[in-house]
Amino acid sequence: MYSYLRERLKHAVRFRHKRGFGVHSPFMFNLILNIIRDKGKKFVYPERAERQPGIRYRERKFYRLLCRMANYLEAQRILCFSAKPENVFLYLSEVGEGTKIVKNEPGQLAEADFIYIGRDARRVLQGIPLCLDEERQSRVCLVISDIYKNSFNAYLWQQAARKATVTIDMMWYGILLYDKKLQKGRYNLII
């Protein structure tokens, strides 16, 4: 609990990129302002997912972010690691034509271009190395939930962030982008 509070305080002091200030990469500036923050409210979410009962506000906000990110990055192969991926599937089901969504299949890591690791992924990923091929030509986005509260996800975050081109630390979850065409950067956001 102490380490979580310490990280939360450190994150609150360091977050600078909330409104895009200090971001020099045009791609990241657009991503922060128009996708992560969604100022224009231009995205339409699946109606079936929006009417789903039992999803808390914070979860719904996060699922909407996943939907926006997958749409923006034009994900073709989405891979979800979670004990209960049904709600994520509802939001990602209408990302784009030809998009394939796979759940809890570690063998599909090499082909996936959008990977979501939920807070309860320990049961699924225990003992499986999360290695993303550095020689890939396509962009890969990795989203990890609870990067400070959950020890397993914190470990995955630290390991995966070492090789990532762009890291976006949002306190409750983190986004990693692997793309050699992007400018390297580390961003701390609170939305």
Side-chain angles (χ1 to χ4, degrees):
M1 182 68 174
Y2 172 72
S3 64
Y4 172 73
L5 291 174
R6 183 184 65 208
E7 290 297 325
R8 177 87 171 120
L9 181 63
K10 186 169 48 171
H11 192 274
V13 169
R14 290 184 184 170
F15 90 95
R16 300 182 342 240
H17 306 105
K18 180 176 180 178
R19 292 184 178 86
F21 298 120
V23 178
H24 299 286
S25 167
F27 173 83
M28 285 307 299
F29 185 79
N30 184 39
L31 185 76
I32 290 170
L33 286 185
N34 298 325
I35 308 306
I36 294 176
R37 296 199 65 230
D38 190 25
K39 290 292 279 184
K41 307 285 186 213
K42 60 185 175 187
F43 287 93
V44 178
Y45 305 104
E47 211 173 298
R48 192 174 48 150
E50 288 292 301
R51 287 186 279 150
Q52 184 73 15
I55 300 177
R56 295 184 306 230
Y57 174 74
R58 186 174 146 212
E59 288 176 326
R60 188 174 307 277
K61 190 174 173 183
F62 177 63
Y63 296 150
R64 286 176 177 172
L65 173 65
L66 287 178
C67 183
R68 289 192 307 265
M69 289 286 295
N71 269 319
Y72 179 71
L73 297 173
E74 298 173 352
Q76 295 299 310
R77 214 160 189 27
I78 300 173
L79 182 56
C80 298
F81 292 106
S82 179
K84 298 178 183 176
E86 294 79 23
N87 291 335
V88 177
F89 270 41
L90 284 174
Y91 276 91
L92 296 177
S93 64
E94 297 178 28
V95 166
E97 285 189 35
T99 301
K100 184 176 180 188
I101 304 172
V102 181
K103 64 177 179 179
N104 301 332
E105 292 285 335
Q108 301 285 329
L109 274 170
E111 292 89 30
D113 56 359
F114 191 90
I115 304 164
Y116 165 66
I117 298 176
R119 68 172 54 105
D120 50 1
R122 178 186 301 245
R123 294 180 227 155
V124 180
L125 287 174
Q126 190 71 37
I128 297 170
L130 184 71
C131 53
L132 298 171
D133 187 15
E134 294 178 20
E135 302 300 319
R136 291 171 69 162
Q137 298 301 320
S138 62
R139 178 180 299 142
V140 178
C141 179
L142 174 63
V143 181
I144 304 175
S145 292
D146 288 341
I147 58 175
Y148 292 109
K149 275 187 164 180
N150 184 325
S151 62
F152 181 73
N153 287 14
Y155 173 75
L156 288 178
W157 169 257
Q158 291 167 357
Q159 295 299 317
R162 289 182 186 155
K163 296 181 180 177
T165 309
V166 175
T167 63
I168 304 170
D169 183 347
M170 301 175 85
M171 191 61 208
W172 293 280
Y173 36 86
I175 300 170
L176 300 169
L177 294 171
Y178 299 86
D179 188 355
K180 293 179 181 175
K181 296 175 189 169
L182 293 177
Q183 181 180 1
K184 278 191 161 279
R186 296 184 58 162
Y187 304 93
N188 295 319
L189 301 174
I190 292 179
I191 54 171

